[in-house]
Amino acid sequence: MKSSLAPGVRLITSVSRDAWYQSFIFFLTYIIYTAYHLSRKPVSIVKSQLHRNCSNLLHPADLNITNNDNWCNWAPFDQDDYRTLFGVLDSSFLCSYAIGMYFSGMLAERLPLRCYLSVGMLMSGLFTCLFGLGFYLDIHSLGYYASVEVMNGLMQTTGWPAVVACVGNWFGKGKRGFIMGVWNSHTSVGNILGSLIAGAFVSSAWGMSFIVPGLIIASTGILCFFFLVEKPEDVDCTPPLHHESSETGPSLQTASHTDKTSPCKGAISTEPAEPVEEHTEAISFCGALRIPGVVEFSLCLFFTKLVCYTFLYWLPFYLSHAAHLDAEEAGYMSTLFDAGGIVGGITAGLVSDYTGGRATTCCVMLLTAAPMLFLYNHIQQMSHAATIGMLLLCGVLVNGPFALITTAVAADLGTHESLRGNSRALSTVAAIIDATGSVGAALGPLLAGVISETGWNNVFYMLITSDLLACLLLSRLVYKEAQGWCGLASRTRGDKNRIHRGPPAHPLSQ
């Protein structure tokens, strides 16, 4: 008599081999980019420790103090222009990141993604640790810290185009917004973990706030080298399909025959599939720019990422000085903004999948975020509860469009039907979109450092203006999506009218 399989074994065997590999790649790339963001966060946490109000602290008895206001600060950030110096430090990373990203995407298309990611993560770990070693080596040179940030920014560009290309290779069009919305929560999870790790050491030895994250990302790079699978074909899985005929928007869609996409499964179509020539040559920079929607979404991300990264780099400092929290508490409180970002990314993905309107989803969230930022600046000092609630809400509305554009939109555009089978465009398109956004990310913290000298209200006015400009840049695509919905509604009504012409049918005659 044949023995029955154990319930656990039946569960394992009921899941296809393709699905197992997909799940594995999903979680591995999730861990990889969590490590990237985890290693970026310490700078924002440590700022409030590098420059404090020393007059309220007890100084060591053996310390000869000449300036009671600055004795506890870390030179060169002990000067009156410390905010500008912090802005220079942020921009050193972000400018090199933005410039390097334009080239990184094209390199990722031409090099093995596994090796490219692994080397990038090991080097990012090295430069993150070098920043922290400045504490133990008693380094007080702005040039040292700025140059380390420049090199770290260049190394960090290896991450995004490579992981987006890898995920895009494994997951097709169906439910991509939701899948990548969940996947993109690695950004917020990385920021939260980075804040918690850096916050644990910031008050005692801030150098460890960098060294520990640096070791984590380097270790993850080794994990990536041994286990990452770039494409389904490499392990004999079925590649997904990337196009659906029901989408007729201007930015992401073109009319085609019906393809119902199921991850790692084939598609069933009632029409014969047209033969598509598979191109092996990587797309050029100009060729990527000609894909419909790339320019609009890139410019929108410029302003969207400006807002996100201003929060990323300045929120702990703002909470410390405007809300009068200590450095450790401010670091922990800032994680609420990232927690809201997890919900925002998933929500944006779900809504855009259901409506088919990526641009409209982004626009609505950005329009709602503008007044919420204004309210947060004016009511956050009322109570801790108000601060918590507004940080969560602003995190949802600000990070939602950012997450959607950098993941689902980038993957949609990188597999756009106008490419006619060229599968080697994902990294380049993702890099162009993220690099343009990174220019805004570099500009935002720098402007915040300068503008905050005139008052935090002006910083929030800058953020609100950026949100509104991001909406304006998407207006053409939103209009086209609305036209597509109206056309679909008209066709649906026309079909119903044709069905009901003539005498009504007998209920049992059908």
Side-chain angles (χ1 to χ4, degrees), residues 7 14 57 64 110 149 182 196 204 222 270 317 378 399 413 435:
S14 66
L57 301 175
N64 185 19
R110 293 160 174 82
E149 285 294 271
V182 174
L196 295 177
S204 56
I222 297 173
T270 56
F317 186 87
H378 285 82
N399 285 302
L413 295 172

Side-chain angles (χ1 to χ4, degrees), residues 38 41-42 45 188-202 209 212-213 328-329 331-336 338:
L38 180 149
K41 189 65 178 179
I45 303 298
S188 297
V189 171
N191 290 340
I192 292 170
L193 291 176
S195 298
L196 295 177
I197 293 171
F201 300 102
V202 66
S209 297
V212 173
E328 186 174 354
E329 188 179 5
Y332 293 152
M333 185 72 77
S334 68
T335 62
L336 295 171
D338 296 302

Side-chain angles (χ1 to χ4, degrees), residues 437-504:
S438 297
V439 176
L443 184 62
L446 180 62
L447 288 176
V450 175
I451 296 174
S452 62
E453 300 284 354
T454 66
W456 286 105
N457 286 343
N458 294 329
V459 174
F460 277 87
Y461 293 147
M462 176 195 73
L463 301 178
I464 292 168
T465 302
S466 298
D467 265 343
L468 296 177
L469 288 173
C471 291
L472 183 63
L473 288 165
L474 288 182
S475 57
R476 187 185 72 87
L477 300 183
V478 171
Y479 176 71
K480 291 293 185 180
E481 286 178 353
Q483 278 188 321
W485 291 329
C486 292
L488 179 63
S490 299
R491 288 194 298 273
T492 302
R493 286 195 297 270
D495 292 341
K496 289 181 179 179
N497 290 336
R498 285 192 295 272
I499 290 171
H500 289 93
R501 283 193 191 122

